[in-house]
Amino acid sequence: MNTLKSNVLITLVRVEYNGAVLGDSSKTGVLPDGTAEYDFSTSFECSPDGPNSLDVLVQKPLLLTVLEVAPKEKKKPEKITPLGQAVVDLLPLLQGDRSLKVFAPLYAVSASPSEMLHPEATSSLEVTVSTKELLLSATQLSSGNLLSITLEAAYSVPDTFTADAQQNYMVCLQIPAAGEKELPLLFKNGILKAAGNKEPLPRPKHWPLGPILAPGVLNIPNSFIVGGPYEDEDGELTKSEDREFRIQAESTKRIVWDMERRCFLDAAAVAILKRRIAEHRYWPVELCRMSMASAGKGKPSKIDKGDEDKQIAFHGVAYVNMMHLLCPGVKQIRGAFRVFNYQNSEVFEKTKFQHSVFRDHRSQLSLVREGFGTSPVSKAAPSKALKEEKDFSATQYSEAGTFLVMEIKLDRPLVPKRLREELVQRVKELIPPHPALPRRMEGAKKAVEDYHKCVTSVAVAILREYHELFGKQLPDQGTLDHETLEKQKHQLNYELNTSGKYFAFKEQLKYSVVKIVREKYLKTTAFETKEQLQAFLSELYIYLVDHMHIALNKLLSEEDVSAAPPSCTTRKQLLLFAREAEANKDFKLASLFYKQRIARDQLSVQSWLDYAAFCLLHEDATKAQECLQQALCLDPHHIQSLLLSGIVAVKLQHYEEAEIFFEDACCLEPSSIIAWTLSGLFYELQNNYIQAERNFREAKKLLRAQLEEERRLLEAAEGEGKKPSSPRTDSGPQPPPCTIFMKTVEFLMKVNAVRFVDKALAHELLSLQGGPTCAYYLALAWTYLLQEDFPRCEECLCEAVQLDPVNPNVWAQKGHLCYLQKDFDNAKECYERVISFVEDAMDIHFVYLRLGSIYLEEKEYGRAKQIFLLACDNSATCLTWLGVGIACYRLGLQNDALLGEIRAAQHRFGFGDPSF
């Protein structure tokens, strides 16, 4: 021990464990450097059935008290004054260590001459504790578990609770030990605090020790109560409507323990714990106020059963849902649990526990040793307790809204969570092996052919540029002189360079040249010397020029120079074609476009995913499953494909496979709000409500963090004077707060997962405080539209219009409903309203198409042409240009001169109907 003041002459250290004094060290003086050397060694037996069992070892620390020994005076014994106390946690001895050496902080004793300690220094005791052999073998340690329970406080206690030194507020629960034994864990000495400030956070957890001289020694090192958002807790009173009550209760009358008790569970006890939780999810946690027996003269007498009952006052019980601990990977539950009056029948019905710890197992609680029921109770005490019990109604805990806040924590989860590697392997096992896509063996010949095609394409493009600049030179116009040709050459070069086309042509040729180098010359590594490089480049240049001439001569030898082949449609265009066909209910054509899109690029995961979503809605789930297997073969980590695979597996009733897909998605992307929410919806389908609740809570936690980050960025932008972007440019209402369910609904609608949309919307309806939102009604209307339930769809859209009358998506959806019902007048009115908004609807393309077709039917060809041109400008397809062509053709029909010209052409070519 160091930093003791020199006015302390002689000290010793007393060592205690589990309430028993193990011995005193030798007396020693304090050296000038502030240290003192103590000579002390003792031992005690740690056995399963003895007073110092493993259960005691993990719960209670070694207690050391530094005592000042005053010199003897005549006819007076030595005066011993406690100066400070320290504790040593013996848990490491249970975790595989045979020797433990610590520097235990020394805390000053209250109301002692604390001047002995330098205020600017920290005193400590160097202590070594060892065992002859390991307390637990490696097998016992790995198969067992350490259970820690922290009782924080009881809040909103009844007004009849009073602070009385003769009363002890206690909480107890039973934990299964090996065999059929029960281990009661007792939390006593709760402190009743009056209304005032809240308990600070973080604050230290306390050892379950008896009377202590130095209060600081109660603090467990590096162990704190940190609190957290109510909505992240595992207990009750976590809803938004409970928030105000919780906040108020924390600053009113309360009983505080802040105590942690620990228990080592061997393999048998772990198995029993898991079994009992599975059988009875709710565990009773009893609360009471027990009268402390006052000491009387003479020998203590026995107390009859009636007097014992009178000592236990305000007997209540909280029900803790332990099923959370059977969720994979869960090691801890913490939350608030309501307290009810203890009724034997009600407790048995809910928990199947037949005995009350306080009433039926008093002897197991060591209450005799603690001073409860050891002496005759004073006449005043039982009468007072009896009166309070009489005044205490059966519903007073409920009326007061009393709740316990506690934490139950394990060293390892009871149900291990599957590792990421295992999940990835399981997903691979669910995907049948597919032959690898054939490798394109192009060879030297194919590389040269591609080079010829590329040279031809570039030459045709350059010739077109020449014609645009100087016009076509006809054969009967003669040849141009050299000077004119040089001027045209310089001008053409200038135009190609300034427009960027020269660079584009060069890039177009580069790829074909690289293929020749690889396939023809089989060169894939770097050159060792510059000479080798120059020699190769010379050879390559000659070869390329020769084959350029071959390609150009072949081009010029043809009678007609054909234009460059038209560019193929892109995958994005094919997707739009497919969705147009879907909208027109031509599902066969839509399927063809989806297949063409895949054929265009078989390595595109998104193409396979989009086709799977189409098959899920319009064809069959088995075909969708095959598409998703292809997608996951290409990218096993593609989250959207994993999630849709889970959805399809649910539709096929392959629930074990679905769980693997959802779990893998959450594991691969733990920040995905949609993955956690969808996984929660799946577990709810399986009636696993505890796991569903945990997943929803994780999604909400991620959403809160995301919204907080967005808010922070917005404030930072405003602080820098930047104008934040707003998606709504009109004066309509602000969008409602985003929820995890509406975020998930957006994804589910894209992949046509109608069943999961319904489940997510049901949750959204329950979670909203201000009623359904416009987005909710829009999504619900979408599901009814797919089912062709037009009346219900119309009801939803009417509600949406009431909530947000300037939302273009609402009017677009309403227009589609009227269009499908062949109510073209109202459809036109809705569509015209949509295009009048500054902000486009999400499906503005289909608004243009359908509004244009209505105009054509009503012979408003000018307006139809304008709308179809807008559609072409937005996203051109065959249908948009067809609409433009039809509108223009009908406007041409009003020109007599043009009609005559058309008839003449039809007569001349023998094509068409000249009689129209």
Side-chain angles (χ1 to χ4, degrees):
M1 181 179 71
N2 58 11
T3 65
L4 287 179
K5 276 196 170 181
S6 59
N7 63 346
V8 178
L9 298 178
I10 303 297
T11 61
L12 60 84
V13 176
R14 177 164 294 165
V15 183
E16 301 174 64
Y17 187 68
N18 194 21
V21 176
L22 301 181
D24 293 344
S25 72
S26 62
K27 301 173 186 177
T28 185
V30 180
L31 299 176
D33 62 358
T35 64
E37 298 289 338
Y38 299 102
D39 181 17
F40 177 77
S41 177
T42 188
S43 63
F44 63 88
E45 183 182 1
C46 179
S47 62
D49 300 323
N52 299 321
S53 64
L54 294 183
D55 293 328
V56 175
L57 192 72
V58 298
Q59 290 189 59
K60 294 189 177 181
L62 201 65
L63 178 63
L64 305 104
T65 305
V66 177
L67 303 169
E68 176 189 0
V69 183
K72 281 186 177 182
E73 298 181 9
K74 289 184 179 181
K75 299 182 181 180
K76 290 184 178 180
E78 291 181 323
K79 183 181 180 181
I80 297 179
T81 305
L83 302 179
Q85 288 185 309
V87 293
V88 176
D89 189 0
L90 301 181
L91 181 62
L93 297 178
L94 200 72
Q95 296 175 323
D97 293 340
R98 287 188 56 188
S99 180
L100 174 65
K101 182 178 180 179
V102 296
F103 290 87
L106 187 63
Y107 297 92
V109 171
S110 299
S112 71
S114 57
E115 294 81 14
M116 66 172 187
L117 294 178
H118 288 292
E120 70 276 4
T122 302
S123 299
S124 61
L125 290 175
E126 181 181 345
V127 183
T128 301
V129 185
S130 61
T131 61
K132 290 183 179 180
E133 57 187 24
L134 289 175
L135 297 180
L136 292 173
S137 67
T139 302
Q140 289 174 315
L141 188 60
S142 62
S143 61
N145 213 326
L146 181 67
L147 176 67
S148 303
I149 299 180
T150 301
L151 178 64
E152 299 180 21
Y155 293 101
S156 191
V157 296
D159 292 334
T160 51
F161 276 23
T162 57
D164 186 343
Q166 295 298 317
Q167 308 296 333
N168 196 312
Y169 293 99
M170 307 171 68
V171 167
C172 191
L173 73 158
Q174 298 183 78
I175 297 298
E180 294 299 321
K181 295 181 180 179
E182 297 287 347
L183 176 66
L185 294 183
L186 177 66
F187 299 84
K188 58 180 185 297
N189 301 324
I191 301 172
L192 181 65
K193 293 188 177 183
N197 295 331
K198 297 182 178 181
E199 299 299 312
L201 289 173
R203 61 185 188 271
K205 296 181 180 179
H206 295 163
W207 290 108
L209 297 177
I212 288 295
L213 300 175
V217 94
L218 284 174
N219 299 340
I220 302 177
N222 304 316
S223 186
F224 298 93
I225 295 169
V226 296
Y230 302 136
E231 52 268 28
D232 289 346
E233 295 177 354
D234 305 289
E236 305 164 60
L237 302 171
T238 59
K239 297 180 180 178
S240 54
E241 56 265 28
D242 302 317
R243 181 178 179 80
E244 188 63 31
F245 167 68
R246 292 281 300 269
I247 293 173
Q248 291 178 359
E250 288 174 0
S251 57
T252 57
K253 185 187 292 187
R254 58 199 179 276
I255 305 172
V256 179
W257 286 270
D258 289 345
M259 185 184 296
E260 179 183 82
R261 298 202 74 125
R262 302 184 300 208
C263 172
F264 179 77
L265 306 175
D266 61 14
V270 170
I272 293 171
L273 179 65
K274 291 170 64 174
R275 175 171 59 82
R276 292 194 181 175
I277 293 176
E279 292 173 352
H280 317 298
R281 64 174 58 194
Y282 291 105
W283 284 42
V285 177
E286 296 183 47
L287 166 67
C288 81
R289 192 186 74 181
M290 189 171 288
S291 301
M292 297 178 63
S294 61
K297 294 183 180 180
K299 295 182 180 179
S301 61
K302 293 184 179 180
I303 300 175
D304 61 27
K305 184 66 169 62
D307 287 335
E308 283 192 358
D309 288 341
K310 291 172 186 176
Q311 286 183 285
I312 303 174
F314 302 103
H315 196 182
V317 62
Y319 301 103
V320 178
N321 191 341
M322 300 282 280
M323 280 297 289
H324 291 276
L325 294 178
L326 292 188
C327 295
V330 174
K331 299 189 295 183
Q332 171 184 324
I333 58 176
R334 177 186 178 274
F337 304 93
R338 292 186 178 92
V339 178
F340 304 91
N341 189 58
Y342 192 98
Q343 298 288 339
N344 287 333
S345 58
E346 181 181 319
V347 173
F348 177 75
E349 181 182 355
K350 197 155 190 176
T351 69
K352 299 301 183 280
F353 277 70
Q354 297 181 349
H355 304 286
S356 162
V357 184
F358 287 132
R359 289 179 179 169
D360 304 324
H361 297 286
R362 290 171 59 87
S363 60
Q364 296 183 37
L365 299 180
S366 300
L367 297 183
V368 174
R369 190 174 63 195
E370 300 293 346
F372 297 101
T374 60
S375 304
V377 182
S378 63
K379 293 181 179 179
S383 61
K384 183 179 179 182
L386 182 62
K387 182 178 184 301
E388 288 178 343
E389 275 285 77
K390 201 171 182 180
D391 295 338
F392 185 70
S393 67
T395 60
Q396 196 162 349
Y397 275 129
S398 300
E399 291 170 356
T402 306
F403 61 92
L404 291 175
V405 176
M406 60 188 302
E407 174 192 76
I408 300 174
K409 184 171 63 174
L410 291 160
D411 194 43
R412 289 188 297 273
L414 294 175
V415 181
K417 192 172 185 178
R418 280 187 280 233
L419 298 176
R420 177 174 178 173
E421 295 76 13
E422 181 187 353
L423 287 169
V424 170
Q425 182 60 35
R426 292 290 302 274
V427 169
K428 286 183 179 179
E429 293 171 0
L430 294 176
I431 301 172
H434 291 273
L437 294 174
R439 188 176 177 182
R440 293 181 293 179
M441 304 297 292
E442 297 176 335
K445 182 179 179 181
K446 183 69 165 55
V448 173
E449 289 176 356
D450 288 346
Y451 176 68
H452 286 186
K453 291 179 181 178
C454 194
V455 168
T456 301
S457 176
V458 171
V460 170
I462 293 174
L463 184 60
R464 188 183 302 111
E465 293 293 327
Y466 177 87
H467 288 159
E468 290 181 0
L469 285 173
F470 311 111
K472 289 188 177 182
Q473 187 72 21
L474 299 178
D476 57 356
Q477 293 178 342
T479 58
L480 297 175
D481 57 86
H482 179 72
E483 183 177 355
T484 303
L485 285 174
E486 283 298 315
K487 287 182 180 180
Q488 290 182 349
K489 177 182 176 183
H490 285 297
Q491 186 176 351
L492 178 61
N493 284 336
Y494 174 79
E495 292 293 333
L496 292 177
N497 277 287
T498 56
S499 65
K501 292 179 180 178
Y502 174 80
F503 177 78
F505 293 152
K506 185 173 71 172
E507 290 297 311
Q508 189 175 344
L509 285 167
K510 184 190 294 185
Y511 180 63
S512 60
V513 172
V514 169
K515 286 203 296 184
I516 286 180
V517 172
R518 290 178 177 172
E519 301 292 341
K520 173 70 178 175
Y521 290 91
L522 303 177
K523 189 64 183 173
T524 58
T525 58
F527 293 93
E528 296 179 358
T529 64
K530 290 185 177 179
E531 290 76 15
Q532 290 179 346
L533 174 62
Q534 289 299 326
F536 175 77
L537 291 177
S538 298
E539 181 182 356
L540 177 63
Y541 176 76
I542 294 172
Y543 182 84
L544 292 175
V545 170
D546 288 344
H547 278 272
M548 179 188 71
H549 289 146
I550 293 172
L552 292 176
N553 289 334
K554 183 179 179 182
L555 172 67
L556 296 174
S557 65
E558 296 177 355
E559 294 183 0
D560 297 318
V561 178
S562 60
S567 60
C568 296
T569 53
T570 64
R571 286 189 294 115
K572 183 178 179 180
Q573 287 176 314
L574 286 171
L575 178 61
L576 192 56
F577 297 165
R579 289 181 174 167
E580 284 179 338
E582 275 188 87
N584 293 329
K585 299 193 180 299
D586 191 345
F587 302 128
K588 186 175 181 180
L589 180 61
S591 179
L592 178 62
F593 282 129
Y594 279 117
K595 291 175 182 176
Q596 286 183 358
R597 191 163 172 253
I598 291 173
R600 183 68 49 81
D601 184 2
Q602 295 188 37
L603 301 180
S604 170
V605 177
Q606 190 62 44
S607 296
W608 287 106
L609 179 67
D610 292 335
Y611 189 34
F614 169 81
C615 293
L616 179 63
L617 183 64
H618 298 296
E619 296 190 358
D620 62 81
T622 302
K623 198 166 187 179
Q625 183 186 47
E626 294 171 358
C627 294
L628 291 167
Q629 288 172 350
Q630 290 284 359
L632 291 175
C633 278
L634 297 172
D635 184 2
H637 297 169
H638 193 253
I639 301 300
Q640 292 184 342
S641 296
L642 284 170
L643 294 176
L644 189 53
S645 295
I647 291 169
V648 171
V650 169
K651 187 167 185 178
L652 294 172
Q653 298 183 1
H654 300 164
Y655 299 116
E656 291 184 8
E657 295 180 11
E659 183 176 13
I660 292 171
F661 286 125
F662 288 128
E663 193 174 343
D664 190 31
C666 293
C667 183
L668 291 174
E669 195 170 327
S671 62
S672 171
I673 297 171
I674 295 173
W676 286 106
T677 308
L678 262 180
S679 181
L681 293 173
F682 164 74
Y683 283 116
E684 193 175 61
L685 280 172
Q686 300 300 297
N687 297 326
N688 189 346
Y689 299 108
I690 297 294
Q691 187 67 62
E693 177 190 338
R694 298 190 69 88
N695 288 19
F696 291 151
R697 191 192 314 152
E698 183 65 24
K700 291 174 182 177
K701 183 178 179 180
L702 291 169
L703 180 60
R704 284 198 306 273
Q706 178 182 308
L707 295 176
E708 179 62 25
E709 179 64 15
E710 291 175 359
R711 184 191 63 78
R712 188 187 64 79
L713 294 175
L714 184 62
E715 290 177 352
E718 290 174 345
E720 296 173 3
K722 297 178 181 178
K723 184 179 180 182
S725 57
S726 171
R728 291 290 293 270
T729 56
D730 47 54
S731 58
Q734 292 299 315
C738 185
T739 67
I740 61 169
F741 299 109
M742 289 313 297
K743 267 188 169 295
T744 306
V745 162
E746 290 178 13
F747 166 75
L748 294 172
M749 290 172 67
K750 289 178 182 177
V751 297
N752 300 324
V754 181
R755 182 183 181 187
F756 276 83
V757 169
D758 288 335
K759 288 195 65 64
L761 290 177
H763 273 281
E764 176 72 5
L765 186 61
L766 293 174
S767 65
L768 292 172
Q769 294 183 352
T773 62
C774 178
Y776 167 85
Y777 281 119
L778 267 177
L780 191 58
W782 174 81
T783 63
Y784 288 138
L785 199 63
L786 287 179
Q787 301 165 19
E788 296 188 352
D789 189 344
F790 297 144
R792 287 189 178 180
C793 179
E794 186 172 5
E795 290 174 6
C796 292
L797 292 175
C798 288
E799 294 289 345
V801 168
Q802 292 292 326
L803 290 170
D804 194 354
V806 292
N807 189 327
N809 294 311
V810 175
W811 291 104
Q813 192 86 305
K814 194 171 177 63
H816 296 329
L817 173 64
C818 295
Y819 187 89
L820 292 175
Q821 291 177 308
K822 301 190 183 305
D823 183 0
F824 299 120
D825 290 337
N826 282 324
K828 181 174 72 170
E829 182 181 342
C830 293
Y831 290 148
E832 287 174 343
R833 188 187 291 257
V834 172
I835 64 174
S836 68
F837 289 117
V838 176
E839 181 187 353
D840 281 341
M842 292 178 63
D843 58 348
I844 190 67
H845 180 78
F846 297 98
V847 172
Y848 286 144
L849 283 179
R850 288 176 170 174
L851 180 58
S853 67
I854 292 173
Y855 284 148
L856 287 178
E857 287 296 323
E858 296 181 351
K859 300 184 178 180
E860 296 184 53
Y861 303 126
R863 302 180 74 176
K865 175 185 174 182
Q866 180 185 6
I867 291 298
F868 280 120
L869 284 174
L870 284 173
C872 291
D873 183 63
N874 179 69
S875 48
T877 65
C878 307
L879 294 182
T880 61
W881 283 115
L882 177 62
V884 173
I886 293 174
C888 292
Y889 181 74
R890 296 301 180 188
L891 290 170
L893 293 178
Q894 299 172 13
N895 188 319
D896 293 337
L898 181 61
L899 283 175
E901 186 177 344
I902 292 173
R903 291 193 183 98
Q906 289 175 333
H907 279 294
R908 184 166 63 254
F909 293 105
F911 177 81
D913 182 9
S915 64
F916 77 92

